[in-house]
Amino acid sequence: MEKAGILHSKHDRLLLFKRKSEVIFVYIFLVIFFIAAMLLSDRFMTERNLRNLIISNIGLLFVAYGQLFIVLLGGVDLSVGSVISLTNVICVTMITENPSTWFLAFIASLAAGAGVGLVNGLLVVRGRLQPIIATLATQIFCRGGALYHAGPGGNSPL
């Protein structure tokens, strides 16, 4: 009977070391990047610059955090960019039509994103499609939905 978390063979130990070495390489690269940035600019590590970096990249950080779990589980999601476009178009058009409904626009965007995620999950789990095929299909669907909703160049046909 095997116990969870115990490395039984030399292959298991080598695989674990390989994974750790890849992670260590990423951390070493980040440290080198930060040291180079600090040496090249006297404003890099200021509070104002760090705040600006966080504010301008917070959306990307949320997306990357969500993608982290998909990649760690061995999947792939190609529809992320198109889902972001679709939810942004939904939110912006609702707020443009009636600015006082910003909370409803937020909820509608959140529901649209969750709905696409549910469809992706059902296609992969219940439909037994490969994740790359399922998310490619939803990517095309969401891109078309965003284009239809916003219109070419952002001129809404609605």
Side-chain angles (χ1 to χ4, degrees):
M1 188 163 141
E2 291 187 27
K3 293 183 179 177
I6 297 178
L7 303 175
H8 292 285
S9 69
K10 184 178 181 180
H11 176 71
D12 291 340
R13 288 187 290 277
L14 288 175
L15 186 62
L16 181 66
F17 176 75
K18 181 180 177 189
R19 287 183 183 163
K20 284 184 178 179
S21 67
E22 291 170 353
V23 172
I24 290 171
F25 173 75
V26 170
Y27 284 124
I28 290 172
F29 176 76
L30 285 173
V31 168
I32 291 171
F33 172 77
F34 275 100
I35 290 172
M38 287 187 300
L39 293 175
L40 294 174
S41 174
D42 57 342
R43 297 181 182 160
F44 179 72
M45 288 300 289
T46 63
E47 178 187 350
R48 181 177 181 178
N49 185 52
L50 293 176
R51 188 173 353 115
N52 286 338
L53 284 173
I54 291 171
I55 289 170
S56 64
N57 293 308
I58 193 73
L60 184 59
L61 290 173
F62 282 132
V63 171
Y65 185 69
Q67 285 289 82
L68 171 72
F69 294 109
I70 295 170
V71 171
L72 286 178
L73 294 173
V76 63
D77 188 354
L78 301 176
S79 65
V80 174
S82 296
V83 173
I84 291 171
S85 296
L86 178 65
T87 56
N88 283 340
V89 166
I90 290 170
C91 188
V92 167
T93 54
M94 287 181 72
I95 290 175
T96 303
E97 291 170 3
N98 187 0
S100 64
T101 62
W102 65 269
F103 186 74
L104 189 62
F106 172 75
I107 297 298
S109 297
L110 196 61
V116 173
L118 178 66
V119 169
N120 279 337
L122 290 174
L123 287 173
V124 171
V125 175
R126 299 285 184 198
R128 299 199 182 272
L129 290 174
Q130 290 294 321
I132 195 165
I133 301 299
T135 59
L136 182 63
T138 54
Q139 173 193 22
I140 294 168
F141 177 78
C142 289
R143 185 181 300 163
L147 182 62
Y148 174 76
H149 197 66
N155 299 324
S156 179
L158 301 177

